[in-house]
Amino acid sequence: MGGNYYVSPDQEDGGSWSFSADQLTRTAIALWPGSEAAGPFPPMDATDLDIHTGGGRCRLTFHPQGPVLVFPDQDPLLVPGRVILGLLNALAPDTPTVWWTDLDGVPEILDLTCDATDLADAFSF
């Protein structure tokens, strides 16, 4: 364990996110009541989210200038997998999306129609 995971629109494939940090926060709280957000924090207007899913907790940061969602490696990865899929399926379901780690920096396609278990397995490679 260690390091971070990054999720962003696949700009090379024409992907872009049009949602704001406020929309992301409202969606997270609607999907998982009891979740919280803080920010935006200068200088990059990052927003931190603490999402309580009932089955676990996921902390992630949204950087709108990337745009990118960042979350730390954690056990189990199923929780952030569910959160990422839930948020992006609500806010940008048809957007080509990629993910990578700071350990290798190689973007991988993120299939937003996959099961959270499959995504957690892919994150665990």
Side-chain angles (χ1 to χ4, degrees), residues 105-119:
V106 177
E108 302 284 337
I109 294 172
L110 192 161
D111 178 2
L112 296 179
T113 65
C114 77
D115 179 82
T117 303
D118 294 334
L119 182 56

Side-chain angles (χ1 to χ4, degrees), residues 96-107:
T97 303
V98 293
W99 69 273
W100 67 94
T101 68
D102 56 7
L103 299 175
D104 68 10
V106 177

